[in-house]
Amino acid sequence: MSEIVASRADRLLRTKRLREGDLMWPGPDPPSGTPPGGRDRPGAFPARRIVRPGAGWYALPACLALLAIAGYVTVAAFLWDDSRAADGPPGVGDPVTGVPVQLSRGHGYFVYVRAGRPSPFACTIEAGGRVGYVRLTRQNSWGAGERPGFRYTATFESPVTGKAAFRCGGTDGPIVVTPDDTADTYLRLTALASAGLAAAAVVLFAVTFLRRALAGRGAGRAETRFRT
């Protein structure tokens, strides 16, 4: 009887000491760490979040801004001489005696006649003691501005640079010769297009920055809640 009591007492003592951690686990290694579902289990911490949209999206507004600048600079450089010639003064005078004009070689000029008068023909330019015929066309006629009391009739390309006298037959009354300012129209259109691209670049940059900021803030709040 005493042996049975002693055996039971020994088992009880071993069980108590086992619970208190004084004895080694009588078998395979006991499980370590926190129970399943705890914070230390694998995968308990969320993976690092990638903020969307990525920083590479900034390349799009940058490309648009570069395109706007490069496009305007290219067109302005190409039309620079034409734009300077377009700033020249107009000439008004009689087509028979000659209209005094300031010309630039290779650039176009618009010819206006009185409203209701016939269009001129056989036009010549006298400069430096030499006279030569010029060919009348309708080039860039869409860009010819309105002049009160006059109507656009033709365009010619100047063969000389400097002061000259422009004469024509077939019409009477004063005529007006003005530089072809179509280049300025092209520059204005290019400036508007470049401004539109620049505005789009600013909007895209702002949207990308705002979305990244909001995404990063949301990821930061989620990580803070998990840690607390």
PDB file of all heavy atoms in Angstrom, residues 58-88:
ATOM      1  N   TYR A  58       6.279  59.557 -62.883  1.00  0.00           N
ATOM      2  CA  TYR A  58       6.722  60.945 -63.029  1.00  0.00           C
ATOM      3  C   TYR A  58       7.387  61.174 -64.384  1.00  0.00           C
ATOM      4  O   TYR A  58       7.551  62.325 -64.812  1.00  0.00           O
ATOM      5  CB  TYR A  58       7.710  61.306 -61.914  1.00  0.00           C
ATOM      6  CG  TYR A  58       7.052  61.536 -60.579  1.00  0.00           C
ATOM      7  CD1 TYR A  58       7.418  60.795 -59.462  1.00  0.00           C
ATOM      8  CD2 TYR A  58       6.070  62.512 -60.432  1.00  0.00           C
ATOM      9  CE1 TYR A  58       6.819  61.006 -58.223  1.00  0.00           C
ATOM     10  CE2 TYR A  58       5.466  62.736 -59.206  1.00  0.00           C
ATOM     11  CZ  TYR A  58       5.853  61.974 -58.105  1.00  0.00           C
ATOM     12  OH  TYR A  58       5.252  62.200 -56.905  1.00  0.00           O
ATOM     13  N   ALA A  59       7.799  60.101 -65.039  1.00  0.00           N
ATOM     14  CA  ALA A  59       8.445  60.257 -66.344  1.00  0.00           C
ATOM     15  C   ALA A  59       7.475  60.793 -67.394  1.00  0.00           C
ATOM     16  O   ALA A  59       7.889  61.503 -68.317  1.00  0.00           O
ATOM     17  CB  ALA A  59       9.017  58.907 -66.803  1.00  0.00           C
ATOM     18  N   LEU A  60       6.191  60.464 -67.259  1.00  0.00           N
ATOM     19  CA  LEU A  60       5.208  60.923 -68.247  1.00  0.00           C
ATOM     20  C   LEU A  60       5.057  62.444 -68.253  1.00  0.00           C
ATOM     21  O   LEU A  60       5.183  63.074 -69.316  1.00  0.00           O
ATOM     22  CB  LEU A  60       3.867  60.238 -68.017  1.00  0.00           C
ATOM     23  CG  LEU A  60       2.746  60.588 -68.999  1.00  0.00           C
ATOM     24  CD1 LEU A  60       3.182  60.272 -70.420  1.00  0.00           C
ATOM     25  CD2 LEU A  60       1.476  59.822 -68.653  1.00  0.00           C
ATOM     26  N   PRO A  61       4.792  63.094 -67.117  1.00  0.00           N
ATOM     27  CA  PRO A  61       4.730  64.572 -67.159  1.00  0.00           C
ATOM     28  C   PRO A  61       6.061  65.195 -67.536  1.00  0.00           C
ATOM     29  O   PRO A  61       6.096  66.250 -68.187  1.00  0.00           O
ATOM     30  CB  PRO A  61       4.302  64.951 -65.730  1.00  0.00           C
ATOM     31  CG  PRO A  61       4.606  63.767 -64.896  1.00  0.00           C
ATOM     32  CD  PRO A  61       4.428  62.578 -65.778  1.00  0.00           C
ATOM     33  N   ALA A  62       7.170  64.561 -67.159  1.00  0.00           N
ATOM     34  CA  ALA A  62       8.474  65.103 -67.548  1.00  0.00           C
ATOM     35  C   ALA A  62       8.641  65.075 -69.066  1.00  0.00           C
ATOM     36  O   ALA A  62       9.121  66.043 -69.665  1.00  0.00           O
ATOM     37  CB  ALA A  62       9.589  64.313 -66.867  1.00  0.00           C
ATOM     38  N   CYS A  63       8.222  63.975 -69.688  1.00  0.00           N
ATOM     39  CA  CYS A  63       8.315  63.877 -71.150  1.00  0.00           C
ATOM     40  C   CYS A  63       7.407  64.898 -71.828  1.00  0.00           C
ATOM     41  O   CYS A  63       7.779  65.495 -72.847  1.00  0.00           O
ATOM     42  CB  CYS A  63       7.964  62.465 -71.604  1.00  0.00           C
ATOM     43  SG  CYS A  63       9.213  61.223 -71.188  1.00  0.00           S
ATOM     44  N   LEU A  64       6.210  65.110 -71.288  1.00  0.00           N
ATOM     45  CA  LEU A  64       5.303  66.096 -71.868  1.00  0.00           C
ATOM     46  C   LEU A  64       5.893  67.507 -71.770  1.00  0.00           C
ATOM     47  O   LEU A  64       5.805  68.300 -72.715  1.00  0.00           O
ATOM     48  CB  LEU A  64       3.945  66.043 -71.165  1.00  0.00           C
ATOM     49  CG  LEU A  64       3.067  64.829 -71.463  1.00  0.00           C
ATOM     50  CD1 LEU A  64       1.781  64.897 -70.659  1.00  0.00           C
ATOM     51  CD2 LEU A  64       2.753  64.744 -72.946  1.00  0.00           C
ATOM     52  N   ALA A  65       6.499  67.813 -70.627  1.00  0.00           N
ATOM     53  CA  ALA A  65       7.104  69.138 -70.470  1.00  0.00           C
ATOM     54  C   ALA A  65       8.268  69.326 -71.447  1.00  0.00           C
ATOM     55  O   ALA A  65       8.403  70.380 -72.077  1.00  0.00           O
ATOM     56  CB  ALA A  65       7.583  69.317 -69.022  1.00  0.00           C
ATOM     57  N   LEU A  66       9.101  68.297 -71.583  1.00  0.00           N
ATOM     58  CA  LEU A  66      10.213  68.388 -72.532  1.00  0.00           C
ATOM     59  C   LEU A  66       9.712  68.523 -73.968  1.00  0.00           C
ATOM     60  O   LEU A  66      10.280  69.276 -74.772  1.00  0.00           O
ATOM     61  CB  LEU A  66      11.109  67.160 -72.396  1.00  0.00           C
ATOM     62  CG  LEU A  66      11.952  67.077 -71.118  1.00  0.00           C
ATOM     63  CD1 LEU A  66      12.718  65.758 -71.081  1.00  0.00           C
ATOM     64  CD2 LEU A  66      12.918  68.249 -71.024  1.00  0.00           C
ATOM     65  N   LEU A  67       8.632  67.782 -74.288  1.00  0.00           N
ATOM     66  CA  LEU A  67       8.069  67.871 -75.629  1.00  0.00           C
ATOM     67  C   LEU A  67       7.531  69.271 -75.902  1.00  0.00           C
ATOM     68  O   LEU A  67       7.702  69.809 -77.014  1.00  0.00           O
ATOM     69  CB  LEU A  67       6.960  66.838 -75.790  1.00  0.00           C
ATOM     70  CG  LEU A  67       6.252  66.793 -77.155  1.00  0.00           C
ATOM     71  CD1 LEU A  67       7.254  66.451 -78.250  1.00  0.00           C
ATOM     72  CD2 LEU A  67       5.123  65.780 -77.137  1.00  0.00           C
ATOM     73  N   ALA A  68       6.881  69.871 -74.917  1.00  0.00           N
ATOM     74  CA  ALA A  68       6.348  71.227 -75.091  1.00  0.00           C
ATOM     75  C   ALA A  68       7.475  72.224 -75.340  1.00  0.00           C
ATOM     76  O   ALA A  68       7.401  73.062 -76.255  1.00  0.00           O
ATOM     77  CB  ALA A  68       5.545  71.631 -73.849  1.00  0.00           C
ATOM     78  N   ILE A  69       8.543  72.129 -74.555  1.00  0.00           N
ATOM     79  CA  ILE A  69       9.653  73.071 -74.702  1.00  0.00           C
ATOM     80  C   ILE A  69      10.381  72.848 -76.026  1.00  0.00           C
ATOM     81  O   ILE A  69      10.643  73.789 -76.785  1.00  0.00           O
ATOM     82  CB  ILE A  69      10.624  72.933 -73.516  1.00  0.00           C
ATOM     83  CG1 ILE A  69       9.919  73.327 -72.211  1.00  0.00           C
ATOM     84  CG2 ILE A  69      11.861  73.803 -73.730  1.00  0.00           C
ATOM     85  CD1 ILE A  69      10.742  73.066 -70.972  1.00  0.00           C
ATOM     86  N   ALA A  70      10.702  71.564 -76.299  1.00  0.00           N
ATOM     87  CA  ALA A  70      11.455  71.265 -77.524  1.00  0.00           C
ATOM     88  C   ALA A  70      10.644  71.610 -78.771  1.00  0.00           C
ATOM     89  O   ALA A  70      11.196  72.120 -79.759  1.00  0.00           O
ATOM     90  CB  ALA A  70      11.843  69.787 -77.543  1.00  0.00           C
ATOM     91  N   GLY A  71       9.335  71.340 -78.746  1.00  0.00           N
ATOM     92  CA  GLY A  71       8.498  71.650 -79.902  1.00  0.00           C
ATOM     93  C   GLY A  71       8.451  73.129 -80.198  1.00  0.00           C
ATOM     94  O   GLY A  71       8.609  73.542 -81.361  1.00  0.00           O
ATOM     95  N   TYR A  72       8.262  73.932 -79.161  1.00  0.00           N
ATOM     96  CA  TYR A  72       8.181  75.381 -79.402  1.00  0.00           C
ATOM     97  C   TYR A  72       9.523  75.932 -79.853  1.00  0.00           C
ATOM     98  O   TYR A  72       9.586  76.763 -80.779  1.00  0.00           O
ATOM     99  CB  TYR A  72       7.722  76.100 -78.132  1.00  0.00           C
ATOM    100  CG  TYR A  72       7.584  77.586 -78.348  1.00  0.00           C
ATOM    101  CD1 TYR A  72       6.463  78.115 -78.981  1.00  0.00           C
ATOM    102  CD2 TYR A  72       8.595  78.469 -77.948  1.00  0.00           C
ATOM    103  CE1 TYR A  72       6.347  79.481 -79.204  1.00  0.00           C
ATOM    104  CE2 TYR A  72       8.473  79.828 -78.161  1.00  0.00           C
ATOM    105  CZ  TYR A  72       7.351  80.328 -78.794  1.00  0.00           C
ATOM    106  OH  TYR A  72       7.239  81.672 -79.014  1.00  0.00           O
ATOM    107  N   VAL A  73      10.608  75.494 -79.211  1.00  0.00           N
ATOM    108  CA  VAL A  73      11.931  75.994 -79.591  1.00  0.00           C
ATOM    109  C   VAL A  73      12.256  75.619 -81.033  1.00  0.00           C
ATOM    110  O   VAL A  73      12.805  76.430 -81.797  1.00  0.00           O
ATOM    111  CB  VAL A  73      13.002  75.445 -78.622  1.00  0.00           C
ATOM    112  CG1 VAL A  73      14.398  75.757 -79.140  1.00  0.00           C
ATOM    113  CG2 VAL A  73      12.813  76.048 -77.235  1.00  0.00           C
ATOM    114  N   THR A  74      11.905  74.391 -81.435  1.00  0.00           N
ATOM    115  CA  THR A  74      12.191  73.952 -82.801  1.00  0.00           C
ATOM    116  C   THR A  74      11.429  74.778 -83.832  1.00  0.00           C
ATOM    117  O   THR A  74      11.994  75.248 -84.824  1.00  0.00           O
ATOM    118  CB  THR A  74      11.838  72.468 -82.956  1.00  0.00           C
ATOM    119  OG1 THR A  74      12.602  71.695 -82.027  1.00  0.00           O
ATOM    120  CG2 THR A  74      12.127  71.989 -84.375  1.00  0.00           C
ATOM    121  N   VAL A  75      10.122  74.963 -83.601  1.00  0.00           N
ATOM    122  CA  VAL A  75       9.311  75.730 -84.546  1.00  0.00           C
ATOM    123  C   VAL A  75       9.755  77.191 -84.566  1.00  0.00           C
ATOM    124  O   VAL A  75       9.835  77.818 -85.639  1.00  0.00           O
ATOM    125  CB  VAL A  75       7.819  75.622 -84.185  1.00  0.00           C
ATOM    126  CG1 VAL A  75       6.971  76.532 -85.066  1.00  0.00           C
ATOM    127  CG2 VAL A  75       7.345  74.177 -84.331  1.00  0.00           C
ATOM    128  N   ALA A  76      10.062  77.744 -83.386  1.00  0.00           N
ATOM    129  CA  ALA A  76      10.500  79.145 -83.334  1.00  0.00           C
ATOM    130  C   ALA A  76      11.813  79.339 -84.082  1.00  0.00           C
ATOM    131  O   ALA A  76      12.000  80.342 -84.789  1.00  0.00           O
ATOM    132  CB  ALA A  76      10.643  79.587 -81.884  1.00  0.00           C
ATOM    133  N   ALA A  77      12.730  78.374 -83.941  1.00  0.00           N
ATOM    134  CA  ALA A  77      14.005  78.489 -84.660  1.00  0.00           C
ATOM    135  C   ALA A  77      13.790  78.372 -86.170  1.00  0.00           C
ATOM    136  O   ALA A  77      14.441  79.077 -86.951  1.00  0.00           O
ATOM    137  CB  ALA A  77      14.965  77.403 -84.175  1.00  0.00           C
ATOM    138  N   PHE A  78      12.874  77.498 -86.580  1.00  0.00           N
ATOM    139  CA  PHE A  78      12.619  77.303 -88.003  1.00  0.00           C
ATOM    140  C   PHE A  78      11.958  78.534 -88.629  1.00  0.00           C
ATOM    141  O   PHE A  78      12.221  78.867 -89.790  1.00  0.00           O
ATOM    142  CB  PHE A  78      11.737  76.075 -88.193  1.00  0.00           C
ATOM    143  CG  PHE A  78      11.459  75.742 -89.626  1.00  0.00           C
ATOM    144  CD1 PHE A  78      12.433  75.168 -90.434  1.00  0.00           C
ATOM    145  CD2 PHE A  78      10.214  76.007 -90.188  1.00  0.00           C
ATOM    146  CE1 PHE A  78      12.185  74.872 -91.766  1.00  0.00           C
ATOM    147  CE2 PHE A  78       9.956  75.715 -91.509  1.00  0.00           C
ATOM    148  CZ  PHE A  78      10.940  75.143 -92.300  1.00  0.00           C
ATOM    149  N   LEU A  79      11.082  79.215 -87.868  1.00  0.00           N
ATOM    150  CA  LEU A  79      10.330  80.348 -88.410  1.00  0.00           C
ATOM    151  C   LEU A  79      10.880  81.704 -87.961  1.00  0.00           C
ATOM    152  O   LEU A  79      10.218  82.728 -88.152  1.00  0.00           O
ATOM    153  CB  LEU A  79       8.855  80.238 -87.988  1.00  0.00           C
ATOM    154  CG  LEU A  79       8.100  79.009 -88.497  1.00  0.00           C
ATOM    155  CD1 LEU A  79       6.683  78.992 -87.930  1.00  0.00           C
ATOM    156  CD2 LEU A  79       8.055  78.990 -90.022  1.00  0.00           C
ATOM    157  N   TRP A  80      12.064  81.704 -87.381  1.00  0.00           N
ATOM    158  CA  TRP A  80      12.586  82.955 -86.820  1.00  0.00           C
ATOM    159  C   TRP A  80      12.744  84.041 -87.885  1.00  0.00           C
ATOM    160  O   TRP A  80      12.317  85.174 -87.706  1.00  0.00           O
ATOM    161  CB  TRP A  80      13.916  82.691 -86.129  1.00  0.00           C
ATOM    162  CG  TRP A  80      14.567  83.926 -85.573  1.00  0.00           C
ATOM    163  CD1 TRP A  80      15.683  84.569 -86.036  1.00  0.00           C
ATOM    164  CD2 TRP A  80      14.127  84.679 -84.439  1.00  0.00           C
ATOM    165  NE1 TRP A  80      15.977  85.662 -85.270  1.00  0.00           N
ATOM    166  CE2 TRP A  80      15.047  85.760 -84.278  1.00  0.00           C
ATOM    167  CE3 TRP A  80      13.078  84.554 -83.541  1.00  0.00           C
ATOM    168  CZ2 TRP A  80      14.920  86.689 -83.253  1.00  0.00           C
ATOM    169  CZ3 TRP A  80      12.960  85.498 -82.517  1.00  0.00           C
ATOM    170  CH2 TRP A  80      13.866  86.547 -82.394  1.00  0.00           C
ATOM    171  N   ASP A  81      13.370  83.679 -89.011  1.00  0.00           N
ATOM    172  CA  ASP A  81      13.583  84.676 -90.065  1.00  0.00           C
ATOM    173  C   ASP A  81      12.263  85.165 -90.648  1.00  0.00           C
ATOM    174  O   ASP A  81      12.083  86.364 -90.912  1.00  0.00           O
ATOM    175  CB  ASP A  81      14.460  84.084 -91.172  1.00  0.00           C
ATOM    176  CG  ASP A  81      15.897  83.880 -90.710  1.00  0.00           C
ATOM    177  OD1 ASP A  81      16.292  84.534 -89.732  1.00  0.00           O
ATOM    178  OD2 ASP A  81      16.600  83.062 -91.327  1.00  0.00           O
ATOM    179  N   ASP A  82      11.328  84.229 -90.872  1.00  0.00           N
ATOM    180  CA  ASP A  82      10.021  84.632 -91.408  1.00  0.00           C
ATOM    181  C   ASP A  82       9.290  85.552 -90.433  1.00  0.00           C
ATOM    182  O   ASP A  82       8.597  86.493 -90.854  1.00  0.00           O
ATOM    183  CB  ASP A  82       9.167  83.402 -91.701  1.00  0.00           C
ATOM    184  CG  ASP A  82       9.682  82.621 -92.897  1.00  0.00           C
ATOM    185  OD1 ASP A  82      10.297  83.242 -93.781  1.00  0.00           O
ATOM    186  OD2 ASP A  82       9.470  81.405 -92.949  1.00  0.00           O
ATOM    187  N   SER A  83       9.425  85.256 -89.155  1.00  0.00           N
ATOM    188  CA  SER A  83       8.757  86.090 -88.160  1.00  0.00           C
ATOM    189  C   SER A  83       9.346  87.495 -88.130  1.00  0.00           C
ATOM    190  O   SER A  83       8.611  88.487 -88.007  1.00  0.00           O
ATOM    191  CB  SER A  83       8.873  85.447 -86.770  1.00  0.00           C
ATOM    192  OG  SER A  83       8.254  86.244 -85.791  1.00  0.00           O
ATOM    193  N   ARG A  84      10.649  87.608 -88.283  1.00  0.00           N
ATOM    194  CA  ARG A  84      11.279  88.939 -88.308  1.00  0.00           C
ATOM    195  C   ARG A  84      10.856  89.708 -89.563  1.00  0.00           C
ATOM    196  O   ARG A  84      10.602  90.916 -89.507  1.00  0.00           O
ATOM    197  CB  ARG A  84      12.798  88.797 -88.257  1.00  0.00           C
ATOM    198  CG  ARG A  84      13.332  88.273 -86.941  1.00  0.00           C
ATOM    199  CD  ARG A  84      14.847  88.272 -86.934  1.00  0.00           C
ATOM    200  NE  ARG A  84      15.378  89.623 -87.100  1.00  0.00           N
ATOM    201  CZ  ARG A  84      16.670  89.901 -87.241  1.00  0.00           C
ATOM    202  NH1 ARG A  84      17.558  88.912 -87.272  1.00  0.00           N
ATOM    203  NH2 ARG A  84      17.069  91.146 -87.389  1.00  0.00           N
ATOM    204  N   ALA A  85      10.781  88.997 -90.706  1.00  0.00           N
ATOM    205  CA  ALA A  85      10.353  89.662 -91.943  1.00  0.00           C
ATOM    206  C   ALA A  85       8.907  90.121 -91.842  1.00  0.00           C
ATOM    207  O   ALA A  85       8.528  91.149 -92.433  1.00  0.00           O
ATOM    208  CB  ALA A  85      10.532  88.720 -93.125  1.00  0.00           C
ATOM    209  N   ALA A  86       8.082  89.370 -91.091  1.00  0.00           N
ATOM    210  CA  ALA A  86       6.671  89.731 -90.949  1.00  0.00           C
ATOM    211  C   ALA A  86       6.484  91.024 -90.172  1.00  0.00           C
ATOM    212  O   ALA A  86       5.410  91.642 -90.235  1.00  0.00           O
ATOM    213  CB  ALA A  86       5.907  88.599 -90.269  1.00  0.00           C
ATOM    214  N   ASP A  87       7.502  91.431 -89.437  1.00  0.00           N
ATOM    215  CA  ASP A  87       7.403  92.675 -88.670  1.00  0.00           C
ATOM    216  C   ASP A  87       7.713  93.907 -89.513  1.00  0.00           C
ATOM    217  O   ASP A  87       7.669  95.030 -89.005  1.00  0.00           O
ATOM    218  CB  ASP A  87       8.367  92.625 -87.475  1.00  0.00           C
ATOM    219  CG  ASP A  87       7.964  91.563 -86.465  1.00  0.00           C
ATOM    220  OD1 ASP A  87       6.764  91.243 -86.402  1.00  0.00           O
ATOM    221  OD2 ASP A  87       8.851  91.051 -85.746  1.00  0.00           O
ATOM    222  N   GLY A  88       8.040  93.694 -90.786  1.00  0.00           N
ATOM    223  CA  GLY A  88       8.353  94.832 -91.648  1.00  0.00           C
ATOM    224  C   GLY A  88       7.146  95.722 -91.890  1.00  0.00           C
ATOM    225  O   GLY A  88       5.998  95.298 -91.760  1.00  0.00           O
TER     226      GLY A  88
END
